[in-house]
Amino acid sequence: MTRKTALSAAWPIFLALLAAQLWAAHALVFFTHEYAHAFTAWLLGWKTNPLDLNYARPTLIVLLLQFGIDQNVNEVPIFASGHGIDAAIIAAAGALFGNGLIALPLSRLGYRVALKYGRSGWALFAYWCTVASVGNFLDYVPIRTFTLEGDMGSVERGFGWSPWVVLIIFGLPTLAALVWLFLRVVPQTLRQLFPASLSKQALVAVVTVGVMFGFFGAVGLLEGGPVAHRLSMLSVSVVLPLAIVAALFGVYRLPVRSGAAATLR
């Protein structure tokens, strides 16, 4: 896809492309995360087939959001046999390896390659993969840190860490990733992909904060316990509106440079 046929297209086409890319980016980053769990369990000897995920019963929700799909790793015998550290490594592998070491760097590489060859539609897709990768950090730390269930609960039990230790060890990198995303990646992407369209810059900026704080930040409304629920309420009702205002303010301060469009077909 090229900028001429996608990013500069009429609004209905652009909006359809945006929706498709958001779905595809989430699915790609999601499965990278889950397979990182599964392959780590396989490498540690706790899973016979790393491709054997729990794919859930096919429904519209599963298709759209992948809810119910997981790594299909039984942690009970791992903890029972005294290998809690293995369970913790498997639990941390999704965000640490899948998102941090695979999806995030590859999405940035894909973005640069797409720009180099003038494929700005693919550059936008790579950008959404970056957003989804950082979002996966946020929905674990801090949203689901203070819980005894799920991946963060396994990390805490396996390593013998308190939630506060997890918050410091993983929270600081999450904060750094968020600052990097919103202060560097987002403004750069808006300037490079939409140099002469404030309206599309504004839409992409608002969708970005919506995905981050209204989707990934809302996961505690579904699981993670009472603290996760409160943190998600804070994310959705306080952080999201403030982030939308900040995003729009940032967009209308960005210079609009029509000459930059010549480098993107």
Side-chain angles (χ1 to χ4, degrees):
M1 61 188 73
T2 67
R3 188 172 192 271
K4 182 177 180 180
T5 59
L7 302 193
S8 290
W11 275 96
I13 296 176
F14 177 73
L15 291 174
L17 173 71
L18 188 62
Q21 288 196 346
L22 287 168
W23 173 81
H26 176 265
L28 180 61
V29 173
F30 174 88
F31 279 108
T32 302
H33 178 105
E34 295 302 330
Y35 280 120
H37 285 304
F39 271 86
T40 301
W42 175 67
L43 288 171
L44 292 175
W46 296 106
K47 191 173 177 67
T48 57
N49 181 1
L51 300 178
D52 180 27
L53 301 184
N54 172 21
Y55 292 101
R57 185 172 64 87
T59 65
L60 182 60
I61 294 298
V62 171
L63 175 64
L64 293 178
L65 300 175
Q66 292 78 57
F67 285 173
I69 300 175
D70 61 45
Q71 65 265 36
N72 196 22
V73 175
N74 184 3
E75 294 182 342
V76 174
I78 305 178
F79 279 109
S81 63
H83 293 84
I85 291 179
D86 283 6
I89 293 171
I90 293 167
L96 183 61
F97 302 145
N99 299 127
L101 298 183
I102 299 176
L104 183 58
L106 286 180
S107 70
R108 299 317 297 158
L109 175 62
Y111 181 86
R112 291 192 294 270
V113 171
L115 282 188
K116 179 180 178 180
Y117 291 98
R119 305 297 181 181
S120 59
W122 286 107
L124 183 60
F125 174 69
Y127 166 77
W128 292 124
C129 289
T130 297
V131 172
S133 297
V134 176
N136 268 273
F137 300 155
L138 177 69
D139 74 6
Y140 282 104
V141 181
I143 300 296
R144 288 182 288 178
T145 300
F146 294 87
T147 179
L148 295 177
E149 59 188 54
D151 290 338
M152 288 298 96
S154 297
V155 167
E156 291 156 15
R157 290 172 58 203
F159 288 133
W161 293 346
S162 75
W164 292 104
V165 172
V166 172
L167 185 65
I168 293 171
I169 292 177
F170 295 112
L172 291 177
T174 296
L175 178 61
L178 286 167
V179 171
W180 166 76
L181 178 73
F182 285 112
L183 295 187
R184 181 171 180 178
V185 175
V186 174
Q188 179 188 66
T189 300
L190 298 181
R191 286 194 300 264
Q192 291 176 332
L193 300 188
F194 309 100
S197 176
L198 279 177
S199 58
K200 288 180 178 177
Q201 286 185 12
L203 175 64
V204 170
V206 169
V207 171
T208 298
V209 297
V211 167
M212 188 61 59
F213 302 111
F215 179 72
F216 288 105
V219 69
L221 300 178
L222 301 176
E223 59 183 43
V227 176
H229 188 275
R230 287 194 289 270
L231 289 174
S232 283
M233 287 297 297
L234 179 67
S235 177
V236 172
S237 62
V238 177
V239 179
L240 177 58
L242 292 176
I244 290 174
V245 172
L248 292 175
F249 179 75
V251 163
Y252 288 102
R253 291 185 62 206
L254 289 173
V256 179
R257 298 178 292 110
S258 59
T263 62
L264 297 174
R265 294 198 297 271

